[in-house]
Structures are given as structure tokens and as C-alpha cells.
Amino acid sequence: MANKVLIYLLRRDLRVADNPILHEIGRLNSQSQKPFTHVLPLYIFPAQQVEVSGFISSQDAKSPYPEARSQTGNFWRCGHLRSKFLAESVWEVKKGFQALNSDLVIRVGMIGDVIKQILDGFEQSGDTEVTGLWITEEVAVEEKREERAIRREMKNRGKDFKVFIDEKYLVDDRDLPFDKPNDVPDVFTSYKKMVEPLRDAPRRTHPKPSSLPPLPSNIPEQISPFSIPSNLNDLIAALHKPLGSNLGLKNPPKMPQSGASTAIPFPGGESAGHDRIKHLLSAGALTTYKDTRNGLLGVDFSSKFSAHLALGCITARQVHFYMLDFENGSTDIGKGAQGYGKGENKGTGHMRFELLWRDYMRLVAWKFGPRLFRPEGFRNDTSAKWSYDTNAVRRWQEGTTGTGLIDASQRELFLTGYTSNRARQNVASYLAKHLGLDWRLGAEWYECCLVDYDVHSNWGNWQYTAGVGNDPREGGGGRKFNPVKQASDYDSKAEYVMAWVPETRGLKPEEAWQYFTIKDEGKKKKMGEEAEEPMVRIQWSAKKGGPGRR
């Protein structure tokens, strides 16, 4: 009897717990009449998003694919830190499958090409029948293109193809009061009212299966000229090899010798994501989350769930139920911490609010499709005249603008793969509103650098700040942040700026916020271009007081 193989293609669902596809596989495998005898879990590093030429084993061979670079700025689409976090997450779920008597097969290339090669290989073996291929739905343009390519291939071969609802979000798609993209509200508040109360909204999580059907024995090899490393370190090395050390920057930021450290010190993967949730509950940090979330320095001022959520290492509803048990006092996790057993508090409530924002940004991307990536944005605003000044972009990337908050954030981003939400808003506003540069350059640089890159949230938030997104304000263009006032409000002693821009240490806070204001001419000259030729001179004084413009 021929082996009957089901292929499960993972993309951004890198977990074994709360996984609807594995739950369904387990259910069907428990039946007496099993529709398949083997399961092939498969992850493909997609060549258009992640540079794969480092997987080529021969020095004489060349990649059949174009370099994975962005369209506007020609940046690498997946830089060192993001690719490392991705590799860790893939390897972690590989170990998760191994614990279930299975494994994760890793391949590289364009997804359509790899799937075709695997199907051809099984057909040629003569003793294996692929019964179907299952994937989790993704709504962004490239992912929908992948889905269509696989659907065509499976249909041409008369094979089953099934797309499962993406259940890593807080509110399940089946519980939304609409089922068409055009019905997604243009304003977040309207959407929020449709699905409240949030504490009652999520569906229950799926349990982790106890085991899975075995791998098929004759899995087709990786297509030439690529080869797949056998351990995590070599996998990371292959991803890093073609990128160079500086991501194309002539004068990249350097890690300060002291006083600065990453705000996201944990690795990728499912277990690290769960450990993070448990830590924050035990520390009482989710109870205080609403009061601390605008911080700039440290690890626990915000949740840092975003990286694990983006890759589906954890799900929003898993976070919800961890918090629910904490609020109800029905778990030992966080016992004795502030807020334990006292119901929903403003911190846990606001965390649900932020998780819903992630849901909403995905739905907006579903609604507007390719307009997520167009300069005119969701608003179809063609009035803005975006520029592209190579030198200005370079200074912005390298963190040498002359504005302390911007420089600190850009250096932290490059060196650690993370920067706070408060800093991101200011950096985006600075690029689009103060410099007038094409906002897509910022979105692409963040795609390259951020370990928590999420296509919907990243591009949607850049549009929002640039004034071409779904901003409820009339005209959409009013979100211009004053990074000096913002530094005064959120970094009053310039501790964040001085941590990441060490040359500002010893200056007065207001001088660290804008270097051209340095009174000591010797210190000012030592700062160089950033102080003598700042990209923007923002007129603001702490002595004036008052709320000011953002």
C-alpha cells in the first residue's frame, strides 16, 4: 500500500501548542479510517523575503533568484538580527515536532518552486501519494500570491488544498460581525466597539497534540544549488553570509562600551515566548503595563510579546488566557504579584486593547491589499510629494541626524533589532514629516532591522504616521511629533539618549536632545556634523512649558 502523505506548510505559525492544523491532524489521526499515513511538516525560507544565497554549497554556483532587497531603498529585506530570531524560532518548532515523534523539514527558495519540486519527487518515487497540503491563511500580498501558486499546483494535480483560519489573533475571524474586506471599519474605535467586551471575546486555545503521524521515509532533497545546514548555528551563518556586517551602511552605529544593553534579550521560539509571558505576570509587570508602556530603557517597561506574536510562536489568545487565570487567581503563575486574583486591571485590560490593535492592523491590510505598500497609502493621497535624498536617508539610518531621541532610537534599532513604540512613532514622524522623505524608506528599513517585524503593523503604522493611512483625523496629516518635546516628556534626564549616543554624556539634557544647542564650542565641534549641521533645527524650549505640539 502506498504511503499517503499530508504536507503541512508552516509560515508564521511557528508553534505546536494552540495550532489548529496540528489539532485537526491529531483528530483525524485518532480515527480508525485515517486519511493519511504520514505528515510532512515543512518550512521554506522564502527567497523573495529572506536572502538565501548563503545556502549555496558551491563557490561556482549562483542563486537562481534575485537578491531579497526592498523596492524603494534597495535594503536587505531581512537583516542579521531578524534573520537570527527567525532561525531560532524555526529551530525551536523543529524541536517541538521532534518531541511529537515527527520533525520539521527545512527548505529554501520560492515557495511555489519548492512545493512543485517536492510533489514531483514524491510522484517519481512511485510508492508515495501526497493526499493534500494545508497552510494557515495570511492576508498580505506576497503571502496571498504564494497561496494562489500552491492552489494552482495542487488543483492541476487533483490534490486537496486547505487554508486554515489564522488563529494567532485575539478575536477569531469566525466571530467577527463581518465577512468581507470592505466591511472592515476605517476607524479602530468602531471596530473595537463591535467586538467588546474583550475579556469575553477569545475562543479557547487548542491543546498540544501528544504525537503526530511519522515523517515519510523518502523526502525529496533540497533543490540545487542550495543545501540545508544540520544545526542552528550553521543555519544562522547561512542567513548572515550574504548580508555583510553593516547592512550597506558606511558608518554603522557601534555598541557603546558601557551603559547600553538590548531591551529584547530573549531568543526566538515558542518556549521563550511562553517564558516571557510567565515572567511578566510573576513580576507584576502586566498589572503596571499601562503606566510603563511608554518607557524607553529597560526590558520590562513593555511586554516585548511582539516578536513572538509576529511569527506565531505564541498566540494573542494564549496571552489572554494566561492573564485571565492570573486575574482570577486560578494559576500559580504570578501568585503574590501585584494584581493577582483581583480581576482585570488597567494593565491587563490595556494589554488586551493593544492585542486588538494587532488584530485590526491585519484586517486593514486584508481590506486594502496592495495599497499597504503604495506611497499614496490607504487614503489614496497623491498630494504628498515624497523625496529620496541619499545622504539624508544615510544619516537617518546611521543615527547622526543631530536630534538625540531619533539618533538614540536608530542606533538601538541597528544594534539590537528593537526600539520602543514611543521611539518608533517619533522616528517615523521625523522621516516623513520633518524630512519629507518617502515613508516607504522607513517601513523598509524597519522591515530589515526589527526582530518583531510584522507586515501589517509595520506598514500600516508607517502609513498612519505619514498621514496616508486610516487616520480618523480630517485630512489625515496631523500626527507630526516634536521629538524634542517628546524627549522632554519621556526622557527628561536624557538617560535614553546618553545610553545610545555616548558622545552626549556629560551634556545638559536639552543639549542632548538637540546638539546644535550645545553652549560649549569645544564640545559642539567635537560632535561634528550632527551638532554643526543638524538635519532639522526644532524650535522648542523646556522653559516655555505647556503641552506644545505633541
Side-chain angles (χ1 to χ4, degrees):
M1 183 180 72
N3 295 327
K4 294 185 176 181
V5 177
L6 172 69
I7 299 173
Y8 168 24
L9 175 63
L10 289 83
R11 295 190 289 179
R12 295 189 185 97
D13 45 352
L14 301 180
R15 64 187 184 279
V16 294
D18 197 19
N19 185 317
I21 290 183
L22 294 187
H23 181 70
E24 180 65 5
I25 289 173
R27 187 187 70 82
L28 293 175
N29 192 50
S30 66
Q31 297 177 355
S32 57
Q33 295 293 323
K34 296 177 174 57
F36 41 79
T37 59
H38 298 75
V39 171
L40 174 62
L42 174 68
Y43 181 84
I44 303 169
F45 285 95
Q48 81 278 19
Q49 295 181 356
V50 180
E51 179 56 32
V52 297
S53 58
F55 291 88
I56 295 175
S57 53
S58 170
Q59 293 183 348
D60 299 326
K62 293 184 179 180
S63 174
Y65 304 114
E67 289 185 330
R69 291 185 178 272
S70 64
Q71 290 188 353
T72 306
N74 201 39
F75 311 140
W76 290 114
R77 292 192 62 185
C78 187
H80 300 89
L81 296 168
R82 186 159 81 88
S83 61
K84 178 176 181 289
F85 194 93
L86 173 60
E88 291 167 345
S89 300
V90 169
W91 209 260
E92 169 80 8
V93 81
K94 179 180 176 68
K95 292 192 294 185
F97 277 107
Q98 290 170 347
L100 300 175
N101 301 313
S102 181
D103 204 345
L104 178 70
V105 172
I106 298 172
R107 294 289 183 262
V108 300
M110 295 295 287
I111 285 181
D113 293 347
V114 177
I115 294 300
K116 182 178 186 303
Q117 181 260 337
I118 288 176
L119 294 173
D120 287 344
F122 276 132
E123 285 185 3
Q124 292 166 10
S125 71
D127 63 350
T128 300
E129 175 192 357
V130 174
T131 61
L133 187 151
W134 292 355
I135 62 171
T136 298
E137 182 182 31
E138 295 281 349
V139 302
V141 172
E142 288 180 320
E143 289 71 21
K144 295 303 288 186
R145 191 179 298 131
E146 292 169 352
E147 179 186 315
R148 289 193 295 271
I150 298 170
R151 187 183 298 278
R152 284 194 301 270
E153 189 67 38
M154 299 301 286
K155 183 178 180 180
N156 290 341
R157 296 171 187 258
K159 305 295 184 181
D160 176 58
F161 177 62
K162 186 173 181 180
V163 180
F164 282 69
I165 290 173
D166 190 352
E167 296 188 34
K168 65 174 171 280
Y169 295 94
L170 189 67
V171 181
D172 193 283
D173 286 357
R174 292 162 291 190
D175 298 328
L176 296 174
F178 49 79
D179 56 13
K180 297 177 182 177
N182 287 340
D183 293 333
V184 176
D186 287 338
V187 178
F188 170 73
T189 304
S190 300
Y191 166 68
K192 178 173 172 283
K193 291 177 179 177
M194 289 179 172
V195 296
E196 288 179 319
L198 298 185
R199 200 167 186 258
D200 301 331
R203 292 192 176 198
R204 299 297 309 184
T205 58
H206 297 297
K208 181 170 68 174
S210 57
S211 65
L212 292 173
L215 286 175
S217 58
N218 54 344
I219 302 169
E221 296 293 326
Q222 165 67 49
I223 191 170
S224 178
F226 306 106
S227 61
I228 303 301
S230 59
N231 61 73
L232 174 58
N233 288 337
D234 287 348
L235 179 64
I236 294 171
L239 290 166
H240 285 183
K241 183 178 178 181
L243 302 180
S245 59
N246 300 333
L247 296 179
L249 300 185
K250 293 182 179 179
N251 298 293
K254 293 180 173 59
M255 193 71 183
Q257 293 183 356
S258 63
S261 59
T262 179
I264 186 165
F266 18 83
E270 186 170 9
S271 60
H274 284 270
D275 288 345
R276 179 64 182 162
I277 304 171
K278 295 172 185 176
H279 164 74
L280 291 178
L281 288 170
S282 299
L286 289 182
T287 299
T288 59
Y289 169 73
K290 187 173 183 181
D291 296 327
T292 65
R293 73 190 192 283
N294 281 311
L296 298 170
L297 278 172
V299 177
D300 289 351
F301 66 81
S302 66
S303 74
K304 313 296 193 302
F305 293 154
S306 52
H308 295 101
L309 286 167
L311 293 176
C313 302
I314 59 174
T315 67
R317 64 188 184 192
Q318 284 176 324
V319 176
H320 161 78
F321 282 109
Y322 270 114
M323 292 194 303
L324 191 69
D325 289 343
F326 173 85
E327 292 163 344
N328 293 339
S330 56
T331 176
D332 288 336
I333 299 171
K335 191 172 184 178
Q338 181 181 351
Y340 178 84
K342 297 181 179 179
E344 185 178 55
N345 55 62
K346 67 177 182 178
T348 55
H350 199 79
M351 175 52 62
R352 292 186 176 95
F353 172 87
E354 295 290 358
L355 291 172
L356 191 70
W357 257 111
R358 295 183 68 86
D359 285 24
Y360 180 66
M361 297 309 290
R362 168 181 169 262
L363 293 172
V364 169
W366 178 48
K367 177 174 184 175
F368 291 107
R371 285 164 64 182
L372 182 66
F373 307 101
R374 293 175 182 166
E376 61 271 18
F378 301 149
R379 302 179 72 89
N380 200 28
D381 183 358
T382 58
S383 63
K385 304 301 179 185
W386 304 109
S387 65
Y388 185 178
D389 181 306
T390 303
N391 185 58
V393 174
R394 173 193 62 78
R395 289 185 63 179
W396 177 84
Q397 288 176 299
E398 294 177 354
T400 58
T401 68
T403 303
L405 179 60
I406 306 305
D407 292 347
S409 177
Q410 288 295 82
R411 297 184 192 193
E412 180 189 25
L413 170 69
F414 180 84
L415 293 166
T416 73
Y418 180 84
T419 191
S420 71
N421 180 61
R422 176 58 52 181
R424 295 183 202 197
Q425 293 178 71
N426 278 274
V427 166
S429 174
Y430 190 87
L431 179 91
K433 297 301 183 71
H434 289 276
L435 301 180
L437 296 173
D438 191 331
W439 64 269
R440 293 174 300 170
L441 294 164
E444 289 177 354
W445 186 240
Y446 270 24
E447 177 182 14
C448 174
C449 295
L450 282 173
V451 297
D452 66 355
Y453 171 74
D454 173 90
V455 60
H456 323 115
S457 294
N458 182 66
W459 287 82
N461 280 317
W462 270 94
Q463 284 202 19
Y464 189 80
T465 305
V468 297
N470 56 329
D471 190 330
R473 295 187 180 198
E474 185 66 29
R479 300 190 183 266
K480 184 175 182 178
F481 285 76
N482 181 328
V484 184
K485 182 187 183 301
Q486 289 275 302
S488 174
D489 289 345
Y490 297 102
D491 190 29
S492 61
K493 296 180 181 179
E495 292 171 322
Y496 175 67
V497 174
M498 293 180 187
W500 290 105
V501 189
E503 56 266 40
T504 64
R505 296 174 188 178
L507 298 177
K508 296 177 180 179
E510 56 268 26
E511 294 175 332
W513 299 334
Q514 285 197 111
Y515 320 146
F516 81 86
T517 65
I518 297 172
K519 300 295 190 296
D520 186 313
E521 288 300 321
K523 292 180 179 179
K524 188 173 183 178
K525 187 174 182 179
K526 190 175 181 181
M527 289 289 293
E529 179 184 44
E530 296 100 294
E532 297 182 334
E533 297 180 29
M535 299 187 73
V536 179
R537 294 173 183 260
I538 298 171
Q539 300 303 316
W540 187 84
S541 173
K543 296 179 181 178
K544 293 180 180 180
R549 184 69 174 274
R550 284 191 171 270

